[in-house]
Amino acid sequence: MRSLAALHNGDGDEPRFVEIFVGKVHQGQWDLAEDHWERTVVEFLNIREMEGLSAARATKKAERLAMTALWYPAKRWGRCPCCS
């Protein structure tokens, strides 16, 4: 699983996601944001949809799903579902 720091150095929407998720939602608390990121990715890794996928494909898919699940409430309400 990629860390938030790795996502921040990524391309596309990843850096913007990290800026909002860490900077605004978690007030710059990287450790807390990283914990919530990792927990969310792990939750998605454990869904039935990941069965039969290679570890690399499952991880990549779980990261995409986690980013989507965390980004919407972060942009919309400035909140993290893990913090609630």
Coordinates of all heavy atoms in Angstrom, one line a residue:
M1 N 0.8 -1.2 0.0 CA 0.0 0.0 0.0 C 0.9 1.2 0.0 O 1.9 1.3 0.7 CB -0.9 -0.1 1.2 CG -1.5 1.2 1.7 SD -2.4 1.2 3.2 CE -2.6 -0.4 3.7
R2 N 0.5 2.2 -0.8 CA 1.3 3.4 -0.9 C 0.9 4.3 0.3 O -0.2 4.4 0.7 CB 1.0 4.2 -2.2 CG 1.6 3.5 -3.4 CD 1.3 4.2 -4.7 NE -0.1 4.2 -4.9 CZ -0.7 5.1 -5.8 NH1 0.0 5.9 -6.5 NH2 -2.0 5.1 -5.9
S3 N 1.9 5.0 0.8 CA 1.7 6.0 1.9 C 1.1 7.3 1.3 O 1.1 7.5 0.1 CB 3.0 6.3 2.6 OG 3.8 7.0 1.7
L4 N 0.6 8.1 2.2 CA 0.1 9.4 1.8 C 1.2 10.3 1.2 O 1.0 11.0 0.2 CB -0.6 10.2 2.9 CG -1.9 9.6 3.4 CD1 -2.4 10.4 4.6 CD2 -3.0 9.7 2.3
A5 N 2.4 10.1 1.7 CA 3.6 10.8 1.1 C 3.8 10.4 -0.3 O 4.1 11.2 -1.2 CB 4.8 10.6 2.0
A6 N 3.7 9.1 -0.6 CA 3.9 8.6 -2.0 C 2.7 9.1 -2.9 O 3.0 9.5 -4.0 CB 3.9 7.1 -2.0
L7 N 1.5 9.2 -2.3 CA 0.4 9.7 -3.1 C 0.6 11.2 -3.4 O 0.3 11.7 -4.5 CB -0.9 9.5 -2.4 CG -1.5 8.1 -2.3 CD1 -2.7 8.1 -1.4 CD2 -1.8 7.5 -3.6
H8 N 1.2 11.9 -2.4 CA 1.4 13.3 -2.6 C 2.4 13.6 -3.7 O 2.3 14.6 -4.4 CB 1.9 13.9 -1.3 CG 1.9 15.4 -1.3 ND1 3.1 16.1 -1.4 CD2 0.9 16.3 -1.2 CE1 2.8 17.4 -1.3 NE2 1.5 17.5 -1.2
N9 N 3.3 12.7 -3.9 CA 4.3 12.8 -5.0 C 3.8 12.1 -6.3 O 4.5 12.1 -7.3 CB 5.6 12.2 -4.6 CG 6.3 12.9 -3.5 OD1 6.2 14.1 -3.5 ND2 6.9 12.2 -2.6
G10 N 2.5 11.7 -6.3 CA 2.0 11.0 -7.5 C 1.5 12.0 -8.5 O 1.9 13.1 -8.5
D11 N 0.6 11.4 -9.4 CA 0.1 12.3 -10.4 C -1.4 12.3 -10.4 O -2.0 11.7 -9.5 CB 0.6 11.8 -11.8 CG 0.2 10.3 -12.0 OD1 -0.5 9.7 -11.2 OD2 0.7 9.8 -13.1
G12 N -2.0 13.0 -11.3 CA -3.5 13.1 -11.4 C -4.0 13.8 -10.1 O -3.5 14.9 -9.7
D13 N -5.1 13.2 -9.6 CA -5.8 13.8 -8.4 C -5.1 13.5 -7.1 O -5.5 14.0 -6.1 CB -7.2 13.3 -8.4 CG -8.0 13.9 -9.5 OD1 -7.7 15.0 -10.0 OD2 -9.0 13.2 -10.0
E14 N -4.2 12.6 -7.1 CA -3.6 12.1 -5.8 C -3.0 13.2 -5.0 O -3.3 13.3 -3.8 CB -2.5 11.0 -6.1 CG -3.1 9.8 -6.7 CD -2.1 8.8 -7.1 OE1 -0.9 9.1 -7.2 OE2 -2.5 7.7 -7.5
P15 N -2.1 14.1 -5.5 CA -1.6 15.2 -4.7 C -2.7 16.1 -4.1 O -2.6 16.5 -2.9 CB -0.7 16.0 -5.6 CG -0.3 15.0 -6.7 CD -1.5 14.1 -6.8
R16 N -3.7 16.4 -4.8 CA -4.8 17.3 -4.3 C -5.5 16.6 -3.2 O -5.9 17.2 -2.2 CB -5.7 17.6 -5.5 CG -6.8 18.6 -5.1 CD -6.2 20.0 -4.9 NE -7.3 20.9 -4.5 CZ -7.2 21.7 -3.4 NH1 -6.2 21.7 -2.6 NH2 -8.3 22.4 -3.1
F17 N -5.8 15.3 -3.4 CA -6.5 14.5 -2.3 C -5.7 14.6 -1.0 O -6.2 14.9 0.0 CB -6.6 13.0 -2.8 CG -6.9 12.1 -1.6 CD1 -8.1 12.1 -1.0 CD2 -5.9 11.2 -1.1 CE1 -8.4 11.3 0.1 CE2 -6.2 10.4 -0.1 CZ -7.4 10.4 0.6
V18 N -4.4 14.4 -1.1 CA -3.5 14.4 0.1 C -3.6 15.8 0.7 O -3.7 15.9 1.9 CB -2.1 14.0 -0.2 CG1 -1.2 14.1 1.0 CG2 -2.1 12.5 -0.7
E19 N -3.5 16.8 -0.1 CA -3.5 18.2 0.5 C -4.8 18.5 1.2 O -4.8 19.0 2.3 CB -3.4 19.2 -0.7 CG -2.0 19.2 -1.3 CD -1.9 20.1 -2.6 OE1 -2.9 20.8 -2.9 OE2 -0.9 19.9 -3.3
I20 N -5.9 18.0 0.7 CA -7.2 18.2 1.4 C -7.3 17.3 2.6 O -7.7 17.7 3.7 CB -8.4 18.0 0.4 CG1 -8.4 19.1 -0.6 CG2 -9.7 17.9 1.2 CD1 -9.4 18.8 -1.8
F21 N -7.0 16.0 2.4 CA -7.2 15.0 3.5 C -6.2 15.3 4.7 O -6.7 15.2 5.8 CB -6.9 13.6 2.9 CG -7.4 12.5 3.9 CD1 -8.7 12.4 4.2 CD2 -6.4 11.7 4.4 CE1 -9.1 11.4 5.1 CE2 -6.8 10.6 5.2 CZ -8.1 10.5 5.6
V22 N -5.0 15.6 4.4 CA -4.0 15.9 5.5 C -4.2 17.3 5.9 O -4.3 17.6 7.1 CB -2.6 15.6 5.0 CG1 -1.6 16.0 6.1 CG2 -2.4 14.1 4.7
G23 N -4.1 18.3 5.0 CA -4.0 19.7 5.4 C -5.3 20.2 6.0 O -5.2 20.9 7.0
K24 N -6.4 20.0 5.3 CA -7.6 20.6 5.8 C -8.4 19.7 6.8 O -8.8 20.2 7.8 CB -8.5 20.9 4.6 CG -8.0 22.0 3.7 CD -9.0 22.4 2.6 CE -8.4 23.5 1.8 NZ -9.3 23.9 0.7
V25 N -8.6 18.5 6.4 CA -9.4 17.6 7.2 C -8.7 17.2 8.5 O -9.3 17.2 9.6 CB -9.8 16.3 6.5 CG1 -10.5 15.3 7.3 CG2 -10.6 16.7 5.2
H26 N -7.4 17.0 8.5 CA -6.6 16.5 9.7 C -5.7 17.6 10.2 O -4.8 17.3 11.0 CB -5.9 15.2 9.4 CG -6.8 14.1 9.2 ND1 -7.2 13.6 8.0 CD2 -7.4 13.2 10.1 CE1 -8.0 12.6 8.2 NE2 -8.2 12.4 9.4
Q27 N -5.9 18.8 9.8 CA -5.1 20.0 10.2 C -3.6 19.7 10.2 O -2.9 20.1 11.1 CB -5.6 20.5 11.6 CG -6.9 21.0 11.6 CD -8.0 20.0 11.8 OE1 -7.8 19.0 12.5 NE2 -9.1 20.1 11.1
G28 N -3.1 19.1 9.2 CA -1.7 18.9 9.0 C -1.1 17.7 9.9 O 0.1 17.5 9.9
Q29 N -2.0 17.0 10.5 CA -1.5 15.8 11.3 C -1.3 14.6 10.4 O -2.2 13.8 10.3 CB -2.5 15.5 12.4 CG -2.7 16.7 13.4 CD -3.7 16.3 14.5 OE1 -3.9 15.2 14.9 NE2 -4.4 17.3 15.0
W30 N -0.1 14.5 9.9 CA 0.2 13.4 9.0 C 0.0 12.1 9.6 O -0.5 11.2 8.9 CB 1.6 13.6 8.4 CG 1.7 14.6 7.3 CD1 1.9 15.9 7.5 CD2 1.6 14.3 5.9 NE1 1.9 16.5 6.2 CE2 1.8 15.5 5.2 CE3 1.5 13.2 5.2 CZ2 1.8 15.6 3.9 CZ3 1.5 13.3 3.8 CH2 1.6 14.5 3.2
D31 N 0.4 11.9 10.8 CA 0.3 10.5 11.4 C -1.2 10.1 11.5 O -1.5 8.9 11.3 CB 0.9 10.5 12.8 CG 2.5 10.6 12.7 OD1 3.0 10.3 11.7 OD2 3.1 11.0 13.8
L32 N -2.0 11.0 12.0 CA -3.4 10.7 12.1 C -4.1 10.4 10.7 O -4.8 9.4 10.5 CB -4.2 11.8 12.8 CG -5.7 11.6 13.0 CD1 -5.9 10.4 13.9 CD2 -6.3 12.8 13.6
A33 N -3.8 11.2 9.8 CA -4.3 11.1 8.4 C -3.8 9.7 7.8 O -4.6 9.0 7.2 CB -3.9 12.2 7.5
E34 N -2.5 9.4 8.0 CA -2.0 8.2 7.5 C -2.6 7.0 8.1 O -3.0 6.0 7.4 CB -0.4 8.1 7.8 CG 0.2 6.9 7.2 CD 0.4 7.0 5.7 OE1 0.6 8.1 5.1 OE2 0.3 5.9 5.1
D35 N -2.9 7.0 9.4 CA -3.6 5.9 10.1 C -5.0 5.7 9.5 O -5.4 4.6 9.2 CB -3.7 6.3 11.6 CG -4.5 5.2 12.3 OD1 -4.0 4.0 12.3 OD2 -5.5 5.5 13.0
H36 N -5.7 6.8 9.3 CA -7.1 6.7 8.7 C -7.0 6.2 7.3 O -7.9 5.5 6.8 CB -7.8 8.0 8.8 CG -8.1 8.4 10.2 ND1 -8.6 9.6 10.6 CD2 -7.9 7.7 11.4 CE1 -8.7 9.6 11.9 NE2 -8.3 8.5 12.4
W37 N -6.0 6.7 6.5 CA -5.8 6.2 5.1 C -5.6 4.7 5.1 O -6.2 3.9 4.4 CB -4.7 6.9 4.5 CG -4.1 6.3 3.3 CD1 -2.9 5.7 3.1 CD2 -4.8 6.2 2.0 NE1 -2.8 5.2 1.8 CE2 -3.9 5.6 1.1 CE3 -6.0 6.7 1.5 CZ2 -4.2 5.3 -0.2 CZ3 -6.3 6.4 0.2 CH2 -5.4 5.8 -0.7
E38 N -4.7 4.2 6.0 CA -4.3 2.8 6.0 C -5.5 2.0 6.4 O -5.8 0.9 5.9 CB -3.1 2.6 6.9 CG -1.8 3.1 6.4 CD -0.7 3.0 7.3 OE1 -0.8 2.4 8.4 OE2 0.4 3.5 7.0
R39 N -6.2 2.4 7.4 CA -7.4 1.7 7.9 C -8.4 1.5 6.8 O -9.0 0.4 6.6 CB -8.1 2.4 9.1 CG -7.3 2.3 10.4 CD -8.1 3.0 11.4 NE -7.3 3.1 12.6 CZ -7.8 3.2 13.8 NH1 -9.1 3.2 14.0 NH2 -7.0 3.4 14.9
T40 N -8.6 2.6 6.0 CA -9.6 2.6 5.0 C -9.2 1.6 3.8 O -10.0 0.8 3.3 CB -9.9 4.0 4.5 OG1 -10.3 4.8 5.6 CG2 -11.0 4.0 3.4
V41 N -7.9 1.7 3.5 CA -7.5 0.8 2.4 C -7.6 -0.7 2.8 O -8.1 -1.5 2.1 CB -6.0 1.1 2.0 CG1 -5.4 0.1 1.1 CG2 -5.9 2.5 1.4
V42 N -7.2 -1.0 4.1 CA -7.4 -2.3 4.6 C -8.8 -2.8 4.6 O -9.1 -4.0 4.2 CB -6.7 -2.5 6.0 CG1 -7.1 -3.8 6.7 CG2 -5.2 -2.3 5.9
E43 N -9.7 -1.9 4.9 CA -11.2 -2.3 4.9 C -11.6 -2.7 3.5 O -12.3 -3.7 3.3 CB -12.0 -1.2 5.4 CG -12.0 -1.0 6.9 CD -13.0 0.1 7.3 OE1 -14.1 0.2 6.7 OE2 -12.6 0.8 8.3
F44 N -11.1 -1.9 2.5 CA -11.4 -2.3 1.1 C -10.7 -3.5 0.6 O -11.2 -4.3 -0.2 CB -11.2 -1.1 0.1 CG -12.3 -0.1 0.2 CD1 -12.1 1.2 0.7 CD2 -13.5 -0.4 -0.4 CE1 -13.1 2.1 0.8 CE2 -14.5 0.6 -0.3 CZ -14.3 1.8 0.2
L45 N -9.5 -3.8 1.1 CA -8.8 -5.0 0.8 C -9.6 -6.3 1.2 O -9.4 -7.3 0.7 CB -7.4 -5.0 1.4 CG -6.4 -4.2 0.6 CD1 -5.1 -4.1 1.5 CD2 -6.1 -4.8 -0.7
N46 N -10.4 -6.1 2.3 CA -11.1 -7.3 2.8 C -12.5 -7.5 2.2 O -13.3 -8.3 2.8 CB -11.2 -7.1 4.3 CG -9.9 -7.3 5.0 OD1 -9.1 -8.2 4.6 ND2 -9.5 -6.5 6.0
I47 N -12.9 -6.8 1.2 CA -14.2 -7.0 0.6 C -14.2 -8.1 -0.4 O -13.1 -8.4 -1.0 CB -14.8 -5.7 0.0 CG1 -13.9 -5.2 -1.2 CG2 -15.0 -4.6 1.0 CD1 -14.5 -4.0 -2.0
R48 N -15.3 -8.7 -0.6 CA -15.4 -9.9 -1.5 C -14.9 -9.6 -2.9 O -14.3 -10.5 -3.6 CB -16.8 -10.4 -1.6 CG -17.0 -11.5 -2.5 CD -18.3 -12.2 -2.4 NE -18.3 -12.9 -1.1 CZ -19.3 -13.4 -0.5 NH1 -20.5 -13.2 -1.0 NH2 -19.2 -14.1 0.6
E49 N -15.0 -8.4 -3.4 CA -14.6 -8.0 -4.7 C -13.1 -8.2 -5.0 O -12.7 -8.3 -6.1 CB -15.0 -6.5 -4.9 CG -14.9 -6.0 -6.4 CD -15.4 -4.6 -6.5 OE1 -16.3 -4.2 -5.7 OE2 -14.9 -3.9 -7.4
M50 N -12.4 -8.3 -3.9 CA -10.9 -8.4 -4.1 C -10.5 -9.9 -4.2 O -9.3 -10.1 -4.6 CB -10.2 -7.8 -2.9 CG -10.4 -6.3 -2.7 SD -10.0 -5.4 -4.1 CE -10.6 -3.8 -3.7
E51 N -11.4 -10.8 -3.9 CA -11.1 -12.2 -4.0 C -10.7 -12.5 -5.5 O -11.3 -12.1 -6.4 CB -12.2 -13.1 -3.6 CG -12.5 -13.0 -2.1 CD -13.7 -13.8 -1.7 OE1 -14.3 -14.6 -2.5 OE2 -14.2 -13.6 -0.6
G52 N -9.6 -13.3 -5.6 CA -9.2 -13.7 -6.9 C -8.3 -12.7 -7.6 O -7.7 -13.1 -8.7
L53 N -8.1 -11.5 -7.1 CA -7.2 -10.6 -7.7 C -5.8 -10.8 -7.1 O -5.6 -11.3 -6.0 CB -7.6 -9.1 -7.4 CG -8.9 -8.6 -7.9 CD1 -9.2 -7.2 -7.5 CD2 -9.0 -8.7 -9.4
S54 N -4.8 -10.5 -7.9 CA -3.4 -10.6 -7.4 C -3.3 -9.5 -6.3 O -4.1 -8.6 -6.2 CB -2.4 -10.3 -8.5 OG -2.5 -8.9 -8.9
A55 N -2.3 -9.7 -5.5 CA -2.1 -8.7 -4.4 C -1.9 -7.3 -4.9 O -2.4 -6.4 -4.3 CB -0.9 -9.2 -3.5
A56 N -1.1 -7.2 -6.0 CA -0.9 -5.9 -6.5 C -2.1 -5.2 -7.1 O -2.4 -4.0 -6.8 CB 0.2 -6.0 -7.6
R57 N -2.9 -6.0 -7.8 CA -4.2 -5.4 -8.4 C -5.2 -5.1 -7.3 O -5.8 -4.1 -7.3 CB -4.8 -6.4 -9.3 CG -4.0 -6.5 -10.6 CD -4.7 -7.3 -11.7 NE -5.8 -6.5 -12.2 CZ -6.8 -7.0 -12.9 NH1 -6.8 -8.2 -13.2 NH2 -7.8 -6.2 -13.3
A58 N -5.3 -6.0 -6.3 CA -6.2 -5.7 -5.1 C -5.8 -4.5 -4.4 O -6.7 -3.7 -4.0 CB -6.2 -6.9 -4.2
T59 N -4.5 -4.3 -4.1 CA -4.0 -3.1 -3.4 C -4.3 -1.9 -4.2 O -4.8 -0.9 -3.6 CB -2.5 -3.3 -3.1 OG1 -2.3 -4.4 -2.3 CG2 -2.0 -2.0 -2.3
K60 N -4.0 -1.9 -5.5 CA -4.3 -0.7 -6.3 C -5.8 -0.3 -6.4 O -6.1 0.8 -6.2 CB -3.8 -1.0 -7.7 CG -3.7 0.2 -8.6 CD -3.1 -0.1 -9.9 CE -1.7 0.5 -9.9 NZ -1.0 0.4 -11.2
K61 N -6.6 -1.4 -6.5 CA -8.0 -1.1 -6.5 C -8.5 -0.6 -5.1 O -9.3 0.3 -5.1 CB -8.8 -2.4 -6.9 CG -10.2 -2.2 -7.1 CD -10.8 -3.5 -7.7 CE -12.3 -3.2 -8.1 NZ -12.8 -4.2 -8.9
A62 N -8.0 -1.2 -4.1 CA -8.4 -0.8 -2.7 C -8.0 0.7 -2.5 O -8.7 1.5 -1.9 CB -7.8 -1.7 -1.7
E63 N -6.8 1.1 -3.0 CA -6.4 2.5 -2.8 C -7.3 3.4 -3.6 O -7.7 4.5 -3.1 CB -4.9 2.6 -3.4 CG -3.9 2.0 -2.5 CD -2.5 2.1 -3.1 OE1 -2.4 2.4 -4.3 OE2 -1.6 1.8 -2.3
R64 N -7.7 3.0 -4.8 CA -8.6 3.9 -5.5 C -10.0 4.0 -4.8 O -10.5 5.1 -4.7 CB -8.8 3.3 -6.9 CG -7.7 3.6 -7.9 CD -8.1 3.3 -9.4 NE -8.8 2.1 -9.6 CZ -8.3 0.9 -9.8 NH1 -7.0 0.8 -9.9 NH2 -9.1 -0.2 -10.0
L65 N -10.5 2.9 -4.3 CA -11.8 3.0 -3.6 C -11.7 3.8 -2.3 O -12.6 4.6 -2.0 CB -12.2 1.5 -3.3 CG -12.7 0.7 -4.5 CD1 -12.8 -0.8 -4.1 CD2 -13.9 1.2 -5.1
A66 N -10.6 3.6 -1.6 CA -10.4 4.4 -0.4 C -10.3 5.9 -0.7 O -10.8 6.7 0.1 CB -9.1 3.9 0.4
M67 N -9.5 6.2 -1.7 CA -9.4 7.6 -2.0 C -10.8 8.2 -2.3 O -11.1 9.3 -1.9 CB -8.4 7.8 -3.2 CG -8.1 9.3 -3.4 SD -6.6 9.6 -4.4 CE -7.3 9.3 -6.0
T68 N -11.6 7.5 -3.1 CA -12.9 8.0 -3.4 C -13.8 8.1 -2.2 O -14.4 9.1 -2.0 CB -13.6 7.0 -4.4 OG1 -12.8 7.0 -5.6 CG2 -15.0 7.5 -4.8
A69 N -13.7 7.1 -1.3 CA -14.5 7.1 -0.1 C -14.1 8.2 0.9 O -15.0 8.8 1.6 CB -14.4 5.7 0.6
L70 N -12.9 8.5 0.9 CA -12.4 9.6 1.8 C -12.5 11.0 1.3 O -12.6 11.9 2.0 CB -10.9 9.3 2.3 CG -10.7 8.0 3.1 CD1 -9.3 7.7 3.2 CD2 -11.4 8.1 4.4
W71 N -12.3 11.1 0.0 CA -12.3 12.4 -0.7 C -13.6 13.1 -0.7 O -13.7 14.3 -0.5 CB -11.7 12.3 -2.1 CG -11.1 13.5 -2.6 CD1 -11.1 14.8 -2.0 CD2 -10.5 13.7 -3.8 NE1 -10.5 15.7 -2.8 CE2 -10.1 15.1 -3.9 CE3 -10.2 12.9 -4.9 CZ2 -9.4 15.6 -5.0 CZ3 -9.5 13.4 -6.0 CH2 -9.1 14.8 -6.0
Y72 N -14.7 12.4 -1.0 CA -16.0 13.0 -1.1 C -16.4 13.7 0.2 O -16.7 14.9 0.2 CB -17.1 12.0 -1.5 CG -18.4 12.7 -1.6 CD1 -18.7 13.4 -2.7 CD2 -19.4 12.6 -0.6 CE1 -19.9 14.1 -2.8 CE2 -20.6 13.2 -0.7 CZ -20.9 14.0 -1.8 OH -22.1 14.6 -1.9
P73 N -16.3 13.0 1.4 CA -16.7 13.8 2.6 C -15.7 14.8 3.0 O -16.0 15.8 3.6 CB -16.8 12.7 3.7 CG -16.1 11.5 3.1 CD -16.1 11.6 1.6
A74 N -14.4 14.6 2.5 CA -13.4 15.7 2.8 C -13.7 16.9 2.0 O -13.6 18.0 2.6 CB -12.0 15.1 2.5
K75 N -14.0 16.8 0.8 CA -14.3 18.0 -0.1 C -15.6 18.6 0.3 O -15.8 19.8 0.4 CB -14.3 17.6 -1.5 CG -12.9 17.4 -2.1 CD -12.9 17.3 -3.6 CE -13.9 16.5 -4.3 NZ -13.8 16.3 -5.7
R76 N -16.6 17.7 0.5 CA -18.0 18.2 0.7 C -18.2 18.8 2.1 O -18.8 19.9 2.2 CB -19.0 17.0 0.6 CG -20.4 17.3 0.8 CD -21.1 17.7 -0.5 NE -22.5 17.8 -0.2 CZ -23.3 18.5 -0.9 NH1 -22.8 19.2 -1.9 NH2 -24.5 18.6 -0.6
W77 N -17.7 18.2 3.1 CA -18.0 18.6 4.5 C -16.7 18.9 5.3 O -16.8 19.3 6.5 CB -18.8 17.6 5.3 CG -20.1 17.3 4.6 CD1 -21.2 18.2 4.5 CD2 -20.5 16.1 4.0 NE1 -22.2 17.6 3.8 CE2 -21.8 16.3 3.5 CE3 -19.9 14.9 3.7 CZ2 -22.6 15.4 2.8 CZ3 -20.6 13.9 3.1 CH2 -21.9 14.2 2.6
G78 N -15.6 18.7 4.7 CA -14.3 18.9 5.5 C -14.2 17.9 6.6 O -13.6 18.2 7.6
R79 N -14.7 16.7 6.4 CA -14.7 15.6 7.4 C -14.0 14.3 6.9 O -14.0 14.1 5.8 CB -16.1 15.3 7.8 CG -16.8 16.4 8.5 CD -18.1 15.9 9.0 NE -18.5 16.7 10.2 CZ -19.6 16.5 10.8 NH1 -20.5 15.6 10.3 NH2 -19.9 17.2 11.8
C80 N -13.6 13.6 7.9 CA -13.0 12.2 7.7 C -14.0 11.2 8.3 O -14.3 11.4 9.5 CB -11.7 12.1 8.3 SG -11.0 10.4 8.3
P81 N -14.5 10.2 7.6 CA -15.4 9.2 8.2 C -14.7 8.5 9.4 O -15.5 8.1 10.3 CB -15.6 8.3 7.1 CG -15.2 8.9 5.8 CD -14.2 10.0 6.2
C82 N -13.4 8.4 9.4 CA -12.8 7.7 10.5 C -12.8 8.6 11.8 O -12.7 8.0 12.9 CB -11.3 7.3 10.2 SG -11.2 6.2 8.8
C83 N -12.8 9.9 11.6 CA -12.8 10.8 12.8 C -14.2 10.9 13.4 O -14.3 11.3 14.6 CB -12.3 12.2 12.4 SG -10.6 12.3 11.9
S84 N -15.2 10.6 12.7 CA -16.6 10.8 13.1 C -17.0 9.8 14.1 O -16.6 8.7 14.2 CB -17.5 10.8 12.0 OG -17.2 11.8 11.1

